Amino acid sequence: MLAEDGRSMKSICLLQLCRLGVIVYDWLDIPWLKNYYNFGFDHFEMSWRKVGFSGLVDLLLGNTGPFSSGDWILPDLTIQGSLKINSTLKTFPNTFYFSYATKRTRKLFGITVPSSVLGVHPMLFLRVLQMCMWRHPQNAPLPYKGYRDEDWEDNDGALNTISMTHPRIPIEHPNRFVVDDSDCNPLQPGIWYHKIIEGDHILFIVNRERAGVQFDLLYDGIFERCRKHAFRKSPPTMPNEASH
């Protein structure tokens, strides 16, 4: 995406090829292919049977179709898009918040680099390095007041660590950084507790074998924390007691 506005796609990039491929795939409307995989764009009526060749041109140019309105995931993932969404968010005073942010980076002679070669999934290592090295274009306006490249260098190969902790732009919500779980006992509502753990984006999401015991400790902690606050005012009701 272009850093200048956070909504437009670069003219030449891998994502453009993916966009064009998806459009042509749906325009061809080959039944056995659609049965194998359907992108779910049928409501845009992109089939050649309905729009013809001129419709394909409009789709490829971005005048019509799923990518024409800007209402899709990538614009929302940019800093500008996140800022727009965050401006509508509210931290509710009676809701408990706890977020885990992951990172696979460290400082080496003042430079942010991947924390290890073997500790990062092969699919993500180059991405971790790329995100460490990314710099906002000097000729583009800053996405928000006080923006600094170094704040966005820590990452897990898919997301910047700073974007995982709590809403902080354009207005920072009440929050507390947690080093040890005992730091947040008792947990208070209306505050974003956040903890940074070492791991790439795949480690705690889909790969229990790689995470090992850390995977169990993480999810056991989440369960115990939820259980404690779910039963904080009244004893639990067992399933066989609910029917009495």
Side-chain angles (χ1 to χ4, degrees), residues 25-204:
Y25 183 95
D26 259 64
W27 182 80
L28 290 174
D29 195 20
I30 301 175
W32 66 269
L33 273 180
K34 295 289 286 290
N35 289 334
Y36 176 74
Y37 190 83
N38 192 325
F39 286 100
F41 290 155
D42 292 345
H43 56 290
F44 287 101
E45 298 186 340
M46 298 162 56
S47 171
W48 64 271
R49 297 178 177 87
K50 294 186 177 181
V51 301
F53 185 76
S54 61
L56 174 62
V57 174
D58 278 336
L59 289 166
L60 295 176
L61 291 176
N63 297 328
T64 59
F67 306 104
S68 61
S69 66
D71 185 18
W72 58 297
I73 187 170
L74 279 188
D76 290 343
L77 292 179
T78 62
I79 296 177
Q80 294 93 331
S82 299
L83 190 150
K84 183 179 179 181
I85 293 174
N86 284 357
S87 64
T88 67
L89 296 181
K90 178 183 178 182
T91 292
F92 294 94
N94 296 321
T95 300
F96 292 92
Y97 300 89
F98 200 108
S99 61
Y100 291 90
T102 48
K103 77 181 185 91
R104 264 301 187 206
T105 54
R106 64 187 178 97
K107 290 288 186 181
L108 183 65
F109 304 116
I111 302 174
T112 305
V113 296
S115 55
S116 69
V117 176
L118 299 179
V120 182
H121 194 281
M123 291 177 58
L124 297 176
F125 181 82
L126 289 178
R127 184 63 176 160
V128 172
L129 183 62
Q130 181 186 22
M131 294 176 74
C132 290
M133 299 173 60
W134 192 86
R135 295 292 180 267
H136 192 77
Q138 293 184 352
N139 59 343
L142 295 178
Y144 61 88
K145 185 179 180 180
Y147 171 87
R148 303 187 310 163
D149 284 327
E150 52 265 37
D151 292 337
W152 295 82
E153 290 175 350
D154 286 329
N155 68 89
D156 66 358
L159 297 175
N160 308 87
T161 304
I162 189 176
S163 67
M164 300 187 230
T165 58
H166 62 283
R168 63 173 77 220
I169 53 171
I171 298 175
E172 188 166 23
H173 291 220
N175 67 93
R176 186 175 301 169
F177 176 58
V178 176
V179 177
D180 187 88
D181 284 352
S182 61
D183 298 341
C184 54
N185 287 327
L187 205 66
Q188 300 296 322
I191 299 175
W192 285 80
Y193 293 88
H194 53 96
K195 187 175 185 178
I196 296 179
I197 52 180
E198 286 290 331
D200 58 44
H201 196 69
I202 294 179
L203 190 66
F204 290 100

